[in-house]
């Protein structure tokens, strides 16, 4: 009898680990896609919503809000096919085709999105709205649970710390894997290879990865207005994936070669792509080198090393090629790519770097090294963990870490620079201020001793809050102020930098700009 009970118990314990067969079945208004390895995905046949994600019997999908493209497609035509151990679910509207693909024995939902126009239902984004109880662990800085809104409807105060979904963002060039975990389970977005090719913004653009509220939301943003610097692209977005694991993060080197044989709308297989090999010279030592490729249909990037680079496989077309020193555009060229071909291009850094009398920061397209630059991507400027913004008086020769990374008209205006000049350093000079982004028309104007510069024209407007959302990546600008002879004196000099603008605003939402560097030459 005891032996019989032991055998029965062993049998019952084994049952949850016995996986069903791979394939797609219909159940009422749903399609059930079984990986055959523990993941069962339920897709609504009326609108393409993912209403259930069960991993080894554990429900990972929130049941009040579903996983969707954008804010849901409303209605769609949903079909499926299975061949060669690959299941493809196709969800179509007049402008969107969404693909969910499962390979036998793999607990990964491979995804592709074709869009001929921006969806009327909202920004083009995939949102996995997961169960917070099943997957409670996400980035702390984007967990807004129990918070009170302090800016718009997307920045919150939680236990004395600022939180926002924007603070989960990572530069595209670095963001191949991000996700959330729970007990014995993880859910991760993977963006492998050229998955960002149809998105907009370039290699240093950042967008939302996560928000932890009533649901645990994990995103792949394709197009958004979050400090967007160029027009949206249309076409095939991805491939990308939602991978379910036992908790550990998967590799970003996801094998997507099988996509080449699926005949997906807008997808260009490897055989229809080409490569660019090239060289570059004249860059500043110590700065990371990135080479960007873009046209109206696609964007790509490669890392430079030792004066050379090789692009990923890219779609045929003519591309503007940009050499970046850090995040600073430093040289451009053009190249035409053909299917199966290898094109070549030579780049030379052409960023103006005069011999300076002094400089604050490095001209690299970022505020790196300035005060609060190490915190701005994950907390709001008002957060108590920030160093006091000032106004600051900066003495030449001091560490750049005491110079503010951003200047806000109604918070830390002006920034004052004090400098003792020798007789050989005076005369007609130029003060150059480089900025990386601006809000509400904010730009610098300077006063040197008793002389005040003219007001520069307003920068190109970007319809976004920018730095309060955790990013400095806007449009790089150069402001050169010609200081007339007789203004600077041998001995003590005082330079004030003021934010000016025809617009207004309160606190950290007043007109502002982010510093890249300040140079006198």
């Amino acid at each position: 009898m005891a032996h019989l009970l032991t055998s029965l118990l062993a049998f019952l314990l084994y049952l949850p680990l016995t996986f069903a067969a791979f394939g797609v079945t219909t159940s009422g208004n749903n399609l059930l896609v079984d990986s055959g390895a523990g993941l069962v995905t339920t897709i609504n046949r009326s609108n393409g919503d993912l209403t259930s994600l069960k991993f080894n019997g554990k429900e990972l999908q929130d049941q009040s809000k579903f996983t969707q493209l954008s804010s849901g497609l409303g209605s769609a035509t949903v079909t499926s096919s299975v061949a060669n151990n690959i299941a493809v679910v196709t969800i179509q509207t007049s402008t969107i085709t969404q693909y969910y693909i499962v390979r036998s024995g793999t607990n990964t939902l491979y995804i592709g999105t074709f869009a001929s126009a921006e969806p009327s239902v909202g920004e083009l984004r995939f949102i996995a709205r997961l169960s917070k109880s099943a997957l409670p662990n996400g980035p702390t800085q984007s967990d807004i649970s129990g918070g009170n809104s302090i800016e718009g409807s997307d920045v919150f105060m939680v236990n004395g710390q600022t939180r926002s979904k924007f603070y989960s963002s990572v530069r595209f060039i670095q963001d191949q894997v991000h996700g959330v975990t729970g007990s014995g389970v993880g859910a991760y977005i993977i963006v492998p290879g050229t998955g960002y090719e149809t998105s907009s913004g370039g290699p240093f653009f950042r967008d939302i990865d996560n928000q932890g509220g009533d649901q645990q939301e994990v995103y792949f943003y394709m197009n958004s207005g979050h400090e967007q610097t160029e027009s949206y692209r249309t076409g095939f977005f991805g491939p990308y994936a939602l991978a379910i694991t036992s908790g550990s993060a998967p590799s970003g080197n996801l094998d997507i070669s099988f996509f080449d044989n699926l005949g997906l709308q807008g997808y260009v297989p490897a055989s229809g792509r080409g490569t660019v090999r090239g060289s570059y010279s004249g860059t500043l030592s110590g700065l990371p080198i990135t080479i960007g490729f873009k046209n109206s249909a696609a964007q790509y990037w490669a890392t430079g090393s030792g004066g050379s680079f090789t692009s990923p496989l890219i779609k045929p077309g003519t591309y503007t090629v940009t050499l970046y020193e850090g995040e600073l555009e430093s040289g451009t060229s053009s190249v035409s790519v053909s299917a199966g071909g290898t094109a070549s291009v030579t780049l030379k850094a052409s960023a103006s770097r005069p011999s300076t009398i002094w400089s604050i920061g490095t001209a690299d397209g970022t505020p790196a090294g300035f005060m609060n630059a190490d915190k701005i991507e994950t907390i709001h400027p008002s957060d108590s963990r920030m160093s006091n913004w000032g106004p600051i008086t900066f003495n030449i020769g001091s560490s750049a870490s005491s110079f503010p990374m951003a200047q806000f008209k109604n918070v830390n205006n002006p920034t004052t620079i004090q400098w003792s000049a020798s007789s050989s350093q005076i005369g007609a000079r130029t003060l150059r201020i480089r900025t990386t982004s601006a809000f509400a028309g904010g730009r610098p104007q300077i006063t040197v001793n008793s002389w005040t510069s003219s007001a520069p024209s307003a920068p190109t407007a970007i319809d976004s809050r920018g730095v309060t959302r955790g990013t400095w990546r806007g449009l790089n600008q150069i402001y050169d102020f010609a200081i007339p002879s007789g203004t600077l004196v041998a001995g003590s000099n005082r330079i004030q930098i003021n934010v000016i603008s025809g617009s207004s605003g309160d606190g950290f939402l007043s007109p502002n700009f982010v510093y890249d560097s300040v140079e006198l030459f």
Side-chain angles (χ1 to χ4, degrees), residues 288-360:
I289 302 301
T290 303
I291 293 84
F293 308 83
K294 71 175 182 179
N295 59 24
S296 61
Q299 63 171 7
Y300 307 92
W301 40 83
T303 298
S305 178
S308 64
F309 62 89
T310 301
S311 77
L313 287 173
I314 66 181
K315 295 189 289 189
T318 299
Y319 292 85
T320 297
V321 187
T322 303
L323 172 65
Y324 294 95
E325 299 183 70
E327 294 186 13
L328 182 69
E329 302 100 325
S330 181
T332 61
S333 188
S334 178
V335 70
S336 294
V337 178
S338 59
T342 300
S344 63
V345 66
T346 299
L347 296 166
K348 183 174 177 58
S350 57
S352 173
R353 285 201 170 92
S355 178
T356 61
I357 296 171
W358 51 256
S359 61
I360 309 170

Side-chain angles (χ1 to χ4, degrees), residues 437-474:
S437 69
F439 174 70
R443 69 268 197 194
Q445 184 181 37
I446 70 169
T447 296
V448 183
N449 296 329
S450 60
W451 172 82
T452 298
S453 72
S454 59
S457 58
T460 301
I462 299 176
D463 186 20
S464 178
R465 279 172 278 155
V467 70
T468 64
R469 283 178 163 178
T471 183
W472 61 65
R473 181 71 278 129

Side-chain angles (χ1 to χ4, degrees), residues 66 89 128 133 146 170 192 200 268 308-309 320 332 368 373 385 400 409 443 474:
F66 298 128
V89 176
S133 60
V170 178
S200 300
V268 178
S308 64
F309 62 89
T320 297
T332 61
R385 291 170 289 176
K409 186 176 182 181
R443 69 268 197 194

